[in-house]
C-alpha cells in the first residue's frame, strides 16, 4: 500500500494480510514487547477533531515499535485555513515518515495523500473510518474465526462513516452485511453500489431495512454508533427522536445468535443508541475493540513505514 484512506482501496488479500499482521504484532507485544521495527521513524498526526482512542492508540503504537509520534491539535495547523492542504502536505511530508490525519472533510485527506511524499493514513473522515473498521475486524476474527465467510454483521443506526467502512470490510471478508436505519438515514448510493461489487466477488449478501429486529435476526455481530456525530450537534434532539426505536438493547440481541457479540466504536451515549446492560454485559467486546485500535494500527504503520517486517 502507498496510503490508507479507505478499505475500498484494498483487495481482500490485503485486508486479510493486515489482520494477520495485527494478530502477530499483538501476540508479540503480549509476549514481552514488539521489536523496534519503526526505530528512527516519526509519525506526524494532524487532528481537526478531538480524540481519545485515535491519538492514544497511534502514539502508543509508534512507541511500542520504537518510533515517535508528533501531535498537532486543531488549533495549530488549521488545515485549509491558515495554510492550504496542498502546502501543508508538501511541507509536512518532508519532516516525517508518515502522516495520520483525523479530519472533517474526506477530500482533505485525499489531497494530503496526493501531494505527500510520505504515506498518509485516514484517521477518520466524514466519508469513512477505515482504522476503526480494521480494528473491528481484528476483534471479530478473535471472537469468531479467521474465516468469516457466511457470518453475519448487522449494523443498527445511522448510515454514517463507520457503517461505510464496515460494509466495505464485511464484503471484502465474505461476511453478510445487514443494516437497519431510519428512513432518510441510509448509506449513500455510491457506498452501497461499491459494497455490492465487493459482495458479488466474495459471495456475501447485503440487506438494507428500516427494521432493527429484521437486521439483527441470526446475526453473529450487532454493531451500533452514536446517533449524532461530531458536527451534527444541532441535529441531536431530532435524531434522538427518530433513532429511538434503533437502540441496541437486550431485546434486540435476543433476535441474534446466542453467541452474538455486541460492538460500538465509542464514545457511547449510554441509554441512547446502546444500553448499559449491553455495554457491560456478556456479549460486549467494546473494550477489546478499543484496545485493538492500537494493534491494528501497528500493522498499518509497519506495512506503510517499516523497512522490514521480519
Amino acid at each position: 500500500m502507498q496510503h490508507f484512506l479507505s478499505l475500498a482501496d484494498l483487495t481482500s488479500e490485503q485486508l486479510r494480510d493486515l489482520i494477520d499482521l495485527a494478530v502477530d504484532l499483538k501476540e508479540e507485544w503480549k509476549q514481552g514487547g514488539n521489536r523496534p521495527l519503526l526505530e528512527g521513524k516519526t509519525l506526524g498526526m494532524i487532528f481537526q477533531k478531538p480524540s481519545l482512542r485515535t491519538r492514544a492508540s497511534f502514539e502508543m503504537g509508534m512507541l511500542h515499535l520504537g518510533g515517535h509520534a508528533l501531535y498537532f491539535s486543531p488549533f495549530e495547523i488549521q488545515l485549509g485555513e491558515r495554510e492550504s492542504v496542498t502546502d501543508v502536505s508538501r511541507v509536512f511530508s518532508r519532516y516525517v515518515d508518515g502522516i495520520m490525519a483525523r479530519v472533517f472533510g474526506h477530500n482533505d485527506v485525499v489531497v494530503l495523500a496526493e501531494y505527500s511524499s510520505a504515506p498518509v493514513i485516514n484517521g477518520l473522515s466524514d466519508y469513512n473510518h477505515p482504522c476503526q473498521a480494521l480494528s473491528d475486524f481484528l476483534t471479530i476474527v478473535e471472537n469468531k474465526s479467521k474465516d468469516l465467510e457466511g457470518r453475519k454483521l448487522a449494523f443498527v443506526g445511522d448510515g454514517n462513516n463507520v457503517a461505510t467502512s464496515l460494509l466495505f470490510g464485511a464484503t471484502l471478508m465474505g461476511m453478510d452485511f445487514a443494516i437497519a436505519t431510519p428512513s432518510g438515514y441510509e448509506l449513500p448510493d455510491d457506498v452501497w453500489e461499491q459494497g455490492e461489487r465487493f459482495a458479488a466477488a466474495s459471495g456475501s449478501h447485503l440487506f438494507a431495512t428500516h427494521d432493527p429486529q429484521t437486521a439483527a435476526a441470526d446475526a453473529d455481530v450487532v454493531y451500533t454508533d452514536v446517533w449524532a456525530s461530531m458536527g451534527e450537534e444541532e441535529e441531536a434532539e431530532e435524531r434522538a427522536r427518530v433513532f429511538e426505536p434503533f437502540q441496541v438493547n437486550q431485546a434486540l440481541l435476543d433476535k441474534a445468535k446466542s453467541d452474538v457479540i455486541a460492538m460500538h466504536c465509542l464514545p457511547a451515549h449510554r441509554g441512547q443508541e446502546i444500553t448499559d446492560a449491553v455495554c457491560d454485559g456478556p456479549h460486549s467486546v467494546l473494550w477489546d475493540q478499543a484496545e485493538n485500535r492500537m494493534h491494528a494500527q501497528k500493522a498499518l504503520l509497519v506495512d506503510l513505514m517499516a523497512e522490514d517486517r521480519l
Side-chain angles (χ1 to χ4, degrees), residues 288-308:
D288 294 336
Q289 284 179 267
E291 178 188 327
N292 279 341
R293 286 291 303 274
M294 180 174 67
H295 303 299
Q297 285 156 193
K298 283 182 188 178
L300 268 182
L301 294 167
V302 168
D303 187 87
L304 290 168
M305 296 167 56
E307 303 295 335
D308 191 352

Side-chain angles (χ1 to χ4, degrees), residues 166-203:
L166 291 172
L167 168 60
F168 293 155
T171 49
L172 282 168
M173 297 288 286
M175 288 189 81
D176 295 339
F177 181 84
I179 183 168
T181 67
S183 180
Y185 295 89
E186 298 89 354
L187 283 166
D189 289 343
D190 63 319
V191 169
W192 193 256
E193 289 164 5
Q194 179 64 72
E196 288 181 324
R197 288 190 286 272
F198 287 150
S202 68

Side-chain angles (χ1 to χ4, degrees), residues 203-247:
S204 57
H205 301 90
L206 302 181
F207 180 72
T209 180
H210 300 307
D211 178 15
Q213 295 190 0
T214 300
D218 209 31
D220 296 280
V221 181
V222 173
Y223 197 120
T224 191
D225 190 10
V226 295
W227 293 337
S229 301
M230 277 183 280
E232 298 172 339
E233 289 82 3
E234 292 183 358
E235 304 175 27
E237 186 175 342
E238 172 64 14
R239 282 174 170 261
R241 182 187 64 79
V242 171
F243 281 86
E244 185 175 2
F246 290 79
Q247 183 185 76

Side-chain angles (χ1 to χ4, degrees), residues 39-61:
E39 185 174 9
K41 302 285 187 179
T42 300
L43 177 71
M45 304 189 301
I46 299 172
F47 283 80
Q48 287 185 325
K49 293 183 173 185
S51 168
L52 166 61
R53 280 153 295 277
T54 299
R55 179 180 177 181
S57 58
F58 271 108
E59 285 199 12
M60 293 309 297

